Amino acid sequence: MSDTKRVYRFGSDANGVDVTEGASSMKYMLGGKGANLAEMCRIGLPVPGGYTITCQTCMEYADAGNVWPAGALDEIEAATRDLEERMGKRLGDARDPLLVSVRSGAPFSMPGMMDTVLNLGLNDASAQGLIAQTGDPHFVWDSYRRFIQMFSDVVMGVDAELFENALTDKRLIAGVRTDAELSADDLHELVEEFKGIFRANVSAAEHPELIVDGAIAFPQDPAVQLKLAIEAVFGSWMNERACIYRKANDIPDDLGTAVNVQAMAYGNKGESSATGVAFTRNPANGARERYGDFLVNAQGEDVVAGIRNTEPIQKMGEYPALAQAAADLERIFQILEGHFHDMCDIEFTIEQGKLWMLQTRVGKRTAQAALRIAIDMVEEGLIDRAEAVRRIDPAQLDQLLHPQFDASADFEVLARGLNASPGAAVGEVVFSSDDAVAAVAEGRKVILVRWETNPDDLKGMVAAEGILTSHGGKTSHAAVIARGMGAPCVCGAEAIQIDAAAKEARVAGTDIVLREGDVISIDGTEGIVVAGAVPLVSVELTGDLETILSWADEIRLRPGNTHPYHVRVNADNPEDAERALGFGAEAIGLCRTEHMFLGERKNIIQTFILSDDPAVREQALSDLLAVQTGDFLKMFRTMDGRDVVVRLIDPPLHEFLDAPRELEVDIARREAAGAPEAELAPLRARLRRIDGMAEMNPMLGLRGVRLSFVFPELPLMQVRAVASAAATLIRDEGLDPRPEVMVPLVALATEQVQMRAVCEQVIAEVAAEFGVALDIPVGTMLELPRACLTADEIARSADFLCFGTNDLTQTTFGFSRDDAESKFMPVYLHRKLVEKNPFETIDKAVLELVRMAVEKARSVKPAMHCGVCGEHGGDPASIRGLFNTAGVDYVSCSPYRVPIARLAAAQAKLAEPVR
Amino acid sequence: MSDTKRVYRFGSDANGVDVTEGASSMKYMLGGKGANLAEMCRIGLPVPGGYTITCQTCMEYADAGNVWPAGALDEIEAATRDLEERMGKRLGDARDPLLVSVRSGAPFSMPGMMDTVLNLGLNDASAQGLIAQTGDPHFVWDSYRRFIQMFSDVVMGVDAELFENALTDKRLIAGVRTDAELSADDLHELVEEFKGIFRANVSAAEHPELIVDGAIAFPQDPAVQLKLAIEAVFGSWMNERACIYRKANDIPDDLGTAVNVQAMAYGNKGESSATGVAFTRNPANGARERYGDFLVNAQGEDVVAGIRNTEPIQKMGEYPALAQAAADLERIFQILEGHFHDMCDIEFTIEQGKLWMLQTRVGKRTAQAALRIAIDMVEEGLIDRAEAVRRIDPAQLDQLLHPQFDASADFEVLARGLNASPGAAVGEVVFSSDDAVAAVAEGRKVILVRWETNPDDLKGMVAAEGILTSHGGKTSHAAVIARGMGAPCVCGAEAIQIDAAAKEARVAGTDIVLREGDVISIDGTEGIVVAGAVPLVSVELTGDLETILSWADEIRLRPGNTHPYHVRVNADNPEDAERALGFGAEAIGLCRTEHMFLGERKNIIQTFILSDDPAVREQALSDLLAVQTGDFLKMFRTMDGRDVVVRLIDPPLHEFLDAPRELEVDIARREAAGAPEAELAPLRARLRRIDGMAEMNPMLGLRGVRLSFVFPELPLMQVRAVASAAATLIRDEGLDPRPEVMVPLVALATEQVQMRAVCEQVIAEVAAEFGVALDIPVGTMLELPRACLTADEIARSADFLCFGTNDLTQTTFGFSRDDAESKFMPVYLHRKLVEKNPFETIDKAVLELVRMAVEKARSVKPAMHCGVCGEHGGDPASIRGLFNTAGVDYVSCSPYRVPIARLAAAQAKLAEPVR
């Protein structure tokens, strides 16, 4: 037997003395549930006794190919004996049996993802014992049939529908509407029927240990039940839905789950019994009110599964048999918030009037609630501002920045449901997760419409724009998951009567039938469903978000920081610039000038590229100069007094041209149709010209600064446009334009040297022409490994550096983003070749190149201003690395990510290693 | 005046005391010519007095925009005064004038590339003085007309043909055949006519300093002549042909040229005068014999230009008036070899029986001669083996490895010429350099056929397979340049009577007319021209090359070296492997298995890729397994006992498919022609399938190890083929096959971990199946920046590492080689954005990534075997960096580069920094 302690007790001994061995700090060992069960015991809350098997045991078991580590089973058996002693009951006892629950509990909450078995310890003998002890055969047979059903499903993999069908048949025969109305005899009969289903559906070959008298039988030995249940919980760590959930939530795969074996408390022992889940504050909007649901005479799974519609927790005091428990619960809410200094989420059971706590954890919440709670707790003195900023998950803010229904839009509400996860969405109706995934793969946007969701729906929920269910409360699976993902969700819209097989839904009280492909809109902030597409609008930063972001700004911009934590925006037009200022962007970190060539201007650039006539080319260039100067005038006016980093044209010129393949097919068709040569010749000439510009690998071809050496007129024109716009604003409007010119895709210091000379000459010419002083810095965009490796050389002729981490990721990995994400990135994520998509969260080797380059550049120019303007600039995990590891001065991201980046930058500052 | 000394004297003072200030070690300051003129003075050889203006002065002058540095002109004037004093004559003296030559002289020899002016100092007065002094008006007027002609051409840019035409007219009028037969009066008249040409063709606006009495006149002031001549020489450093030559020969552009101003010695003072060039040994084959040409009564330019056919140097002793000079020359040959320990190349002039040395340098030679001379000098005790190895230019060896005429081929010699540069070539006849460049751009191979070549032909010579001239000797421009380039060249094939304007050549003594586009063959080793294509064969390593390479191997493989300097070969088939063994390859460093899918096997892989039917795919895979196993059997048998690194399939699968564009055009044509749907449907299905595999940037797409995760069957099949072939040879033939499996395009350690596990499992299965032990290492090909940056992690599951520096260069620069070389690399080289094409010679940042990766890998596994198998593995400059800076153990290159790599590796060892 090894020295590793694998089993930790919690709860009291037979004398009521607390013998808890764990604590809330031990969640990587005991899982979140186990650690907090222990913590609740330590602070004197009522918790049924039990023990926790460590997460490490799960991983050892899994790594060995589902083989138990030496000694582990002995330790569990000893803990079971100890629990029996503490509870004064024995598993399987024919007089007064101990029953236990076996629950998973990973270090991070994974709601509904892993397995649980309740009522374990029941067998034919102990059922009789329990009846003798409780005098309540209805309760006992109900518990036993639940146990067989759950054990068969969860542990043995028998199809759960078989049991549901039998139950339905029984209700029909008995002529009752609900399970609770079935008689004790009905339930006893069901137990026997369920055992039959078990015998018929468990393979003797796979389970020789369950053969009795030559045939499979439901196991009567509680020790066998317990071992199989624990193994099933361990195994559920690697089930598909758990793996998907972990990937979606960035939870490492090597943590494992703990197993909590705990004496059962019964919420299904009649009208003085109940079960429920609750939050100490409103997790949807953060209001200072208790929030949750309970069900009288039920077991916990009934609440979470969303199958029965629940009562709000506030009403519990109105049930006389539960009044004491309701008062106890209120006291416990206060104790928990005082202890954890945070909003808590609990599960509880009331067994014949006595309240038992089954779980607590820091509660999940919407972004809106997270902001409200953090601000309130600062006011209440529970936490300080830094802690408030630290507590908001920047990724979650995204949901606040999601579009909402346009307030001025005219629409009729088709149905109402619960406002389960905020934000609005528009999409085509689909009725299954597979359909959702397939439609999204075709580029369509969908709303997933389900009676309820279950863990197998996860992939469909990830793919959909929003989720609509006709059943389930705000703590149902759909609601919890959608809030976690930041996806809009309307729950329990009971008017939506779904026939998933027919792929349609009738809307009660109307003639309307929604069919697959019909467009609907949902508003998860209000709980509204609308037929057709409602116009969406983006939100302003106001209220709580503004408060938290102002605190974040205080932190990240505090004088005396080791370096600045600035946030800029990538914006290519005045509208984006305006919006980004509203979101708190400090400057424009990237203005992609080629985006100014789109729309009707595409013709001009095409003329420039394709014409052989110098006069025509010159005219095109002059037209481009005029429109770009106009664009820059607006941009610089909007950003008066703030930096605007203008990147010179970057994409290969053939991106502005027709696809040669289509043109050639067109020519072939015209030829075959007998078109005259006069019609064909110019098309052929155009095709030759376009073909002449084609490239094998455009990403690595004639683009970026390279264009400036092959088509020097283009960057000259652009720099002239920038300088002229700035000069005009200075001379004519007395403004303070601050453009900076950035040279893209530099690989060689010589490129920067030559381009800088060219830029400076143009700027000097324009300054002389307008008679104003122009100080326009010329910097380098570092987006190639070679540039990073020689950043010291490049820095000598660059006024600033900005890392384009999208391209840098492409070249460092040798991954073309377009090709990788369509051809092999899904396989790479699935096979764990990469932990995360490196185009979303910056890879460590790419980060190391950035760090190295910043260090090299500052070895030459210690005050060199360095930033990042790839998409990673809006990704919280990347932002921390970029500021704290690579030491950049700013990140620049898309307008909607600016608030996220401000918060993430402040958190990076708070997490900055002490120097 | 600055402290920089800009002018260095050489030669004696008026008392015969040597006052030389320079030495041969100062070539970067004095140029090669100036430094060696000084050295010859120091060792007592007869050198006309003079002075050298430094290369640095040239660069200062050029960098300032052709403005003289302060004080330089004063220093030159002082040196001129000093030279006049030393020679006892004055420039322009009307009684006994000093005449000087003004010659360029860069640190590296650039034959014929830059400018020279002879006879400077002549004017109307000094011409009379010289006649008075020499009593030889013919000589004086000839010298004066030469001076005007040369000065006008070289310094003033007047078209040289104008003077040649006047000269021809004069010969016709005089009824003589050669210039030498013109009378003194004829020449005097020519002087006046030439002055007229000068007046008519020099722009007064550009040269106000030359206006006399309101009109341009040939300058009479020797100081003006001298200043303009020196400026012209400086300017010639940047002329186009010099720039091209430097690029072709890897000579930096910032060295500048020195200018040598030297008292004239006259080879055109009658029958006791002569001029010539010679080598101390035969530069074509290295034989221990004097080698060279001379012309009686001529100036040096006549010899080098190849215009007059020369006499071999051996015959000089037969001319009584030159006998003493011939004996002196022989003595000087011995002194020079004894002093320089190398074969020397000299220019000399005999003035009325007195020998003057005008230049010496280490002589250029063919690769064959270089080997012979190095070996002979070791035997003679002049140098040791290491020095012999050090002296061979590995790049030059290429010419020895060029194809030769197949000895068994039947052909008739069309014409004979001089064997000016070894190797044989076949190509279409072209008569101009422009035509050569244009034809090669169209993918044709050409032989450049010229009456003679001049420096403007350089680009045509670079483009052509070989060069054929009808005039000129072995030291003519064509011969020297071709030898330097390693291009086959036949010179002075006088039977070829060229009419370049008509683009044809008659062959004297035959009816044959060669027209543009006709195919001919030339053998530069033998000096043979053949009509039509002669089959070419490659050479074996024998004789001198074998000797030098064996010495190189002694050095690079010497026990006790800090690390090995191994040379492997990239070979994809048994024939290449066999050839490479003959060339001394130690192992196969890269076997590209996809090359085994070409030819008729392409159908099989297409079937595998395009079929939806699992059975069909499986059959295709099994067919591929059979053919690959067969290939490997042959390879491993050939390489018995030697490592064979087999790289798993690398290219994207769509490379094996039809181009979708052609297919779509084909479909469109068929449709338009009314093809039935039954015909079109399968084509459309095929197009969809092919389109489904298309990628935006295939270089960064689904290829390399990525294929192994998306199409796991492919690498499994390949590893099985490798293992089965090895197992068969062990079991059935008792051989010692040593395959190694290399995983391509790894970016992530996880890729290597997973692939290694897969490979090892297959190898174990095959070993069990055959009942033999198989030890097949699995290594990684590092060709992405990320792999280099994380080489320590990758090294943990790699048995060896090999750098693919082609792809590494592409991703480090973000340059697609195909696109870069066709779209912008020429501009980059021209604009000096890069010094060298990084795909030919490894870039310093790429080298740094390799160095870093080797260091990281060895930090984990100190004995990690590291190699390089990109094209840089065959490039001498890269080889030194790879061994000495990056510390790799081997390079692997194409078969024909193996001898070059062996030599370069030995030189790297010799140049290894002392630790």
Side-chain angles (χ1 to χ4, degrees), chain A residues 661 664 691 696-697 699-700 706 750-751 754 786 793 812 814 816 819 828 831 833 843-844, chain B residues 661 664 691 696-697 699-700 706 750-751 754 786 793 812 814 816 819 828 831 833 843-844:
Chain A
R661 176 168 158 185
E664 188 171 356
D691 272 341
M696 307 277 286
N697 296 283
M699 188 63 67
L700 308 178
R706 301 161 201 171
T750 49
E751 293 170 325
Q754 294 192 17
R786 194 183 188 286
E793 293 176 22
T812 303
S816 158
D819 300 316
Y828 267 52
R831 297 193 57 152
L833 289 154
D843 171 69
K844 65 174 180 178
Chain B
R661 175 167 157 186
E664 187 171 355
D691 272 340
M696 307 275 287
N697 298 283
M699 187 66 64
L700 307 178
R706 301 160 200 172
T750 48
E751 293 170 326
Q754 294 192 18
R786 194 183 189 287
E793 292 177 21
T812 303
S816 158
D819 299 316
Y828 267 52
R831 297 193 58 153
L833 289 155
D843 169 69
K844 66 175 180 178

Side-chain angles (χ1 to χ4, degrees), chain B residues 711-754:
Chain B
F711 300 98
E713 319 89 314
L714 276 182
L716 283 184
M717 178 276 289
Q718 294 197 308
V719 175
R720 184 168 295 278
V722 167
S724 302
T728 303
L729 293 178
I730 294 171
R731 191 189 60 186
D732 300 346
E733 305 183 24
L735 295 182
D736 177 21
R738 297 193 182 172
E740 311 194 347
V741 170
M742 181 156 71
V743 182
L745 211 72
V746 167
L748 297 146
T750 48
E751 293 170 326
Q752 179 66 18
V753 169
Q754 294 192 18

